[in-house]
Amino acid sequence: MDMLLDAVARRRYAPFMSETVTFIPGLSAIAERYRGILCDVWGVVHNGENAFFPACEALAAFRAAGGNVVLLTNAPRPSGPIYAQLDELGVRRDAYDAVVTSGDATRAMLLERGYTRIHHIGPERDLTLYEDTGIRLVEPEEAEVIVCTGFFDDETETPEDYHDRFRALIDRGLPFICANPDIVVERGTRLIWCAGALARDYGAMGGDVVILGKPHAPIYAAALARLGKEAGGPLEKSDVLAIGDGLKTDVTGAVGQGIDTLFITAGIHAADFGDAERPDPDKVTARLAEEKLAVVGALPRLRW
């Protein structure tokens, strides 16, 4: 165990080199180093259909030992409805202290900038984003800005289905605010398109795009503030561990903020690493090197 912790400590502050990434046996191997955890939700705690019980048990064990956990998600809705969704999926309440969402960050920005007329792209379930804001949802002809929370129908539509619509919106000079940077997520065993794919295409077509949520700094500032509130006082970043499965969002965001990161390999990138339950360490190492990301360790799935 001492050798493992020494390896973790070396990676904690050193830039990523070519040594093989350390696969730890479970969160308990490094938990004593940290007072707080920022944990991704979709792909780590659940798959959109069911909770991952070992992951919930691991977070509950960390909290039982005196730590605090904030779930950090790119869900494009305010955190309030997410608690009910987690309950429905079977995520136990003792696994976390609070939830911070990309929707929280988006809502704060919309209010700060004083937008009152928005053209919304996304499913009806995301309209809680605008509740009690005074914002009106309008057609493009009246809009000041577009806010995208996802696809109208993520079961059947593809990004290409939106390209004609985007050309007209870009011609009107409407900026595009993306409330969920994820390109795809897992829903059960399927990959589902998310708002980040539409933001990518809108920008590629010449539109002005603002993306909120992970990996961008504002959501980390909000999450760290909430973690400090739960802990009874501010935490140093060195006391915080981030856990996530998305290299472009979870890992890039946390590493960019100077937060130690535990990479969950059997999430959205599972197919890149061989057997999901027994990933090839060399493939994981090569991918992290390609992305120029250093992590303190990896696990196929979060467990204690």
Side-chain angles (χ1 to χ4, degrees):
M1 182 65 72
D2 289 342
M3 291 179 63
L4 171 63
L5 293 177
D6 285 345
V8 169
R10 288 196 300 273
R11 286 177 174 82
R12 184 167 189 168
Y13 299 110
F16 187 81
M17 301 300 286
S18 60
E19 70 266 24
T20 302
V21 66
T22 299
F23 271 83
I24 63 174
L27 179 60
S28 60
I30 59 174
E32 65 184 28
R33 292 184 160 280
Y34 304 101
R35 295 174 57 200
I37 284 176
L38 300 179
C39 187
D40 179 44
V41 179
W42 205 314
V44 177
V45 176
H46 68 68
N47 66 358
E49 295 182 345
N50 297 289
F52 297 147
F53 294 109
C56 296
E57 290 173 352
L59 296 177
F62 181 80
R63 292 185 69 239
N68 295 98
V69 175
V70 167
L71 299 183
L72 184 57
T73 171
N74 274 346
R77 298 176 294 285
S79 54
I82 302 301
Y83 292 88
Q85 180 189 47
L86 293 173
D87 289 343
E88 291 172 4
L89 293 172
V91 178
R92 47 196 280 188
R93 281 290 180 105
D94 65 343
Y96 62 96
D97 295 279
V99 178
V100 172
T101 73
S102 181
D104 292 331
T106 302
R107 183 182 174 99
M109 194 205 74
L110 294 175
L111 293 172
E112 179 183 346
R113 296 193 178 184
Y115 290 121
T116 59
R117 302 185 313 280
I118 286 173
H119 179 61
H120 174 80
I121 295 176
E124 188 174 343
R125 65 177 178 268
D126 295 338
L127 296 183
T128 54
L129 180 63
Y130 312 109
E131 286 181 356
D132 302 319
T133 63
I135 290 172
R136 291 192 300 121
L137 303 184
V138 299
E139 294 302 314
E141 294 76 15
E142 299 180 65
E144 303 166 276
V145 66
I146 302 158
V147 175
C148 179
T149 62
F151 288 61
F152 290 114
D153 184 352
D154 58 18
E155 293 285 345
T156 63
E157 294 178 327
T158 69
E160 290 74 17
D161 294 327
Y162 287 77
H163 286 184
D164 287 343
R165 178 195 302 262
F166 285 174
R167 291 186 185 96
L169 296 173
I170 291 168
D171 286 345
R172 293 188 58 82
L174 290 175
F176 185 103
I177 296 174
C178 176
N180 177 358
D182 290 344
I183 303 293
V184 294
V185 294
E186 290 182 299
R187 181 176 292 159
T189 59
R190 298 165 295 145
L191 290 178
I192 301 295
W193 289 109
C194 294
L198 296 180
R200 174 199 63 194
D201 289 7
Y202 197 86
M205 294 170 67
D208 180 19
V209 175
V210 175
I211 302 179
L212 297 167
K214 298 175 287 184
H216 304 284
I219 196 170
Y220 286 94
L224 288 168
R226 185 57 189 264
L227 190 57
K229 179 180 178 181
E230 299 298 333
L235 298 184
E236 297 293 331
K237 288 183 178 180
S238 59
D239 291 325
V240 177
L241 176 69
I243 303 174
D245 70 315
L247 288 170
K248 297 292 188 183
T249 51
D250 307 317
V251 182
T252 294
V255 170
Q257 293 299 308
I259 300 171
D260 284 3
T261 306
L262 176 61
F263 178 37
I264 303 302
T265 62
I268 196 167
H269 301 293
D272 298 336
F273 305 135
D275 186 335
E277 305 305 325
R278 296 178 179 275
D280 184 332
D282 290 335
K283 290 182 177 180
V284 176
T285 298
R287 182 63 182 276
L288 288 167
E290 177 185 338
E291 301 286 347
K292 297 181 173 60
L293 295 169
V295 299
V296 297
L299 270 173
R301 301 184 189 277
L302 182 58
R303 59 179 179 265
W304 185 245

